[in-house]
Amino acid sequence: DAGVIQSPRHEVTEMGQEVTLRCKPISGHDYLFWYRQTMMRGLELLIYFNNNVPIDDSGMPEDRFSAKMPNASFSTLKIQPSEPRDSAVYFCASTLLGGSGNTIYFGEGSWLTVV
Amino acid sequence: AQSVTQPDIHITVSEGASLELRCNYSYGATPYLFWYVQSPGQGLQLLLKYFSGDTLVQGIKGFEAEFKRSQSSFNLRKPSVHWSDAAEYFCAVGARNTGNQFYFGTGTSLTVIP
């Protein structure tokens, strides 16, 4: 299995620009998660989907953040406009309910720097 | 409320020494328990997990963890640490019946000195 695939791995952008992060979950998984990791706040759950439907977006920091999952094999996290405080590592993860004890599998992350 | 506590923010050990990373959880029922490792610049890799049965579980890279229900703990151990074990370690607890309730500790950073 290819695992969770994220792109881009690294992005540097200027404040005010739109950023789109992409994720391909493990085939057959029915939950997809977006996490943000910073030194100050650790791992934060931003939003998660079940069968492509957003279930809980209470972790999304503000309206500048949006996430979509148009099909079972693709999700995006968009930041518009980006700000320097959005600099972080963004992880996508997926799991299958009832499979392997709900083990969450992580992608390698998208390292975002907003200057 | 559900939570995971890793009381040690940073630990330094000598190569070849034994290691124990602490993890305590608060959960309303018997949870699934996990340890993940994150090497610099990498994502989180699953080390081991506990679902049920034997409370001592073996993982990859020579790690093991013991679930102690009475202490609400799931400490990670390794008898002899290698320099390549230097990384960030995260304990996590997950629900048994949904995929969404998954809580991470704040992590323990491990430094290994020669």
Side-chain angles (χ1 to χ4, degrees):
Chain A
D1 200 324
V4 177
I5 299 172
Q6 291 187 246
S7 65
R9 285 297 315 277
H10 299 273
E11 178 151 349
V12 180
T13 190
E14 291 185 347
M15 182 174 61
Q17 296 298 306
E18 177 180 292
V19 174
T20 300
L21 308 178
R22 298 173 178 81
C23 175
K24 180 182 182 343
I26 292 174
S27 177
H29 281 189
D30 55 356
Y31 281 83
L32 183 141
F33 307 82
W34 282 100
Y35 286 89
R36 179 172 67 176
Q37 186 180 36
T38 61
M39 288 291 291
M40 293 299 295
R41 302 170 75 99
L43 268 170
E44 301 174 274
L45 177 62
L46 300 178
I47 184 172
Y48 75 92
F49 297 81
N50 176 219
N51 292 322
N52 314 337
V53 176
I55 303 300
D56 185 353
D57 65 354
S58 59
M60 297 284 260
E62 46 198 277
D63 292 345
R64 298 184 296 106
F65 286 70
S66 62
K68 295 181 179 179
M69 192 166 185
N71 57 63
S73 59
F74 184 66
S75 177
T76 60
L77 178 67
K78 188 173 292 187
I79 308 172
Q80 168 63 22
S82 58
E83 296 182 2
R85 59 194 170 118
D86 302 329
S87 298
V89 185
Y90 292 82
F91 287 104
C92 178
S94 69
T95 189
L96 174 64
L97 179 62
S100 299
N102 295 2
T103 300
I104 288 186
Y105 295 90
F106 285 81
E108 294 194 330
S110 291
W111 301 70
L112 174 65
T113 302
V114 182
V115 298
Chain B
Q2 293 84 357
S3 67
V4 178
T5 302
Q6 293 181 246
D8 303 307
I9 295 175
H10 185 245
I11 285 182
T12 300
V13 299
S14 298
E15 191 168 15
S18 63
L19 171 70
E20 182 170 31
L21 303 182
R22 295 183 290 166
C23 173
N24 294 95
Y25 67 91
S26 173
Y27 201 75
T30 302
Y32 292 137
L33 295 161
F34 306 82
W35 275 99
Y36 286 85
V37 61
Q38 183 181 27
S39 297
Q42 301 296 316
L44 278 73
Q45 180 185 19
L46 181 68
L47 274 178
L48 48 77
K49 55 191 176 186
Y50 169 78
F51 300 150
S52 64
D54 192 347
T55 55
L56 183 64
V57 294
Q58 304 297 320
I60 62 172
K61 304 184 180 184
F63 284 91
E64 66 177 27
E66 186 172 11
F67 170 53
K68 293 186 177 180
R69 184 189 306 273
S70 62
Q71 299 177 18
S72 296
S73 69
F74 189 57
N75 295 348
L76 181 71
R77 301 194 294 251
K78 186 169 184 177
S80 178
V81 170
H82 188 263
W83 64 266
S84 61
D85 294 324
E88 188 89 13
Y89 291 82
F90 292 91
C91 180
V93 58
R96 286 184 173 269
N97 54 0
T98 65
N100 60 309
Q101 297 170 6
F102 204 96
Y103 302 91
F104 282 91
T106 52
T108 297
S109 176
L110 174 66
T111 297
V112 180
I113 56 177

